[in-house]
Amino acid sequence: MSFENWAAFAAASTVLLIIPGPTILLVVSYALGQGWRTALPMAVGVALGDFTAMTLSMLGIGALLAASATVFTILKLIGACYLIYLGIKLFRAGGALKAEPRTDAVSAAKMMAHAWLVTALNPKSITFFVAFLPQFLNREADFWPQMLIFETTFLALAFANAFGYALIAARARNVVRNPKAIRIFNRTGGTLLVGAGIATVAMRSGN
């Protein structure tokens, strides 16, 4: 794997993680209601949930890699179209971040488990990984080292992102409730998703 390919994956993952979704809404809800103490258990739970969803997705992709180059190419094109769809949907999402403070007293273990369940059991997570990861995989290279590097990178970024959101929500609540800020996140992320999808389609067409 080239450094450029890893850097592109890390950059794309960072942008995608920053975009608010169901997991981030849960993190923000706990942080708004219970403060900074939620940051660590929620971040650990999110990372474990992403590990679960990403591992299942990578194993499925690995089977397709071994089965057929044509099938893998088709998967990449379908994934690219899915990214374009997600980008358009995100761009049109507006600036609402509906996160109500959770004031019910729960232990750190329960918060972590809640974050894991929401992240891992969301069908969209696995669908997203199946669409996203093939854009960076090299079919000619060994699959398992790529899986290890991509998972380690994504999980570290996911942990840092959830931890950061929790701290911001606990200390600077107006930021996460600012429609203008959320609108900028959504439109920037949506534009980048569409661009990534179009670039993949163009690259495959050029081949």
Side-chain angles (χ1 to χ4, degrees):
M1 179 191 302
S2 67
F3 174 79
E4 291 77 11
N5 195 46
W6 173 84
F9 172 82
S13 297
T14 299
V15 172
L16 293 166
L17 284 166
I18 290 174
I19 299 167
T23 297
I24 293 303
L25 289 177
L26 181 69
V27 171
V28 170
S29 293
Y30 271 110
L32 288 174
Q34 303 186 36
W36 61 269
R37 77 178 188 89
T38 65
L40 182 59
M42 293 302 291
V44 171
V46 169
L48 290 174
D50 278 326
F51 172 76
T52 303
M54 196 173 185
T55 299
L56 292 174
S57 302
M58 289 288 276
L59 292 176
I61 293 169
L64 290 173
L65 272 171
S68 168
T70 301
V71 171
F72 184 67
T73 299
I74 292 172
L75 176 63
K76 289 189 72 169
L77 290 174
I78 293 174
C81 293
Y82 181 63
L83 292 180
I84 293 172
Y85 163 76
L86 287 179
I88 294 172
K89 185 177 180 180
L90 183 63
F91 190 90
R92 300 174 61 184
L97 183 59
K98 298 178 181 178
E100 297 298 326
R102 299 182 66 97
T103 57
D104 48 317
V106 294
S107 66
K110 287 185 178 180
M111 281 190 282
M112 184 174 66
H114 194 179
W116 172 73
L117 285 171
V118 169
T119 307
L121 300 184
N122 183 359
K124 291 183 179 180
S125 296
I126 296 178
T127 304
F128 170 74
F129 283 128
V130 170
F132 179 63
L133 292 170
Q135 317 307 321
F136 301 94
L137 286 171
N138 181 359
R139 192 175 186 276
E140 304 303 321
D142 192 355
F143 172 74
W144 295 107
Q146 292 184 84
M147 177 177 174
L148 177 62
I149 292 171
F150 284 147
E151 284 215 29
T152 301
T153 300
F154 192 91
L155 295 180
L157 293 171
F159 177 90
N161 183 65
F163 194 86
Y165 257 109
L167 290 182
I168 292 173
R171 299 297 184 185
R173 301 185 177 192
N174 289 336
V175 174
V176 297
R177 288 179 164 177
N178 187 330
K180 184 177 180 180
I182 301 304
R183 189 178 296 109
I184 291 173
F185 281 148
N186 286 344
R187 291 185 176 179
T188 301
T191 300
L192 291 173
L193 280 176
V194 171
I198 291 174
T200 301
V201 173
M203 182 174 60
R204 298 310 308 176
S205 300
N207 292 340

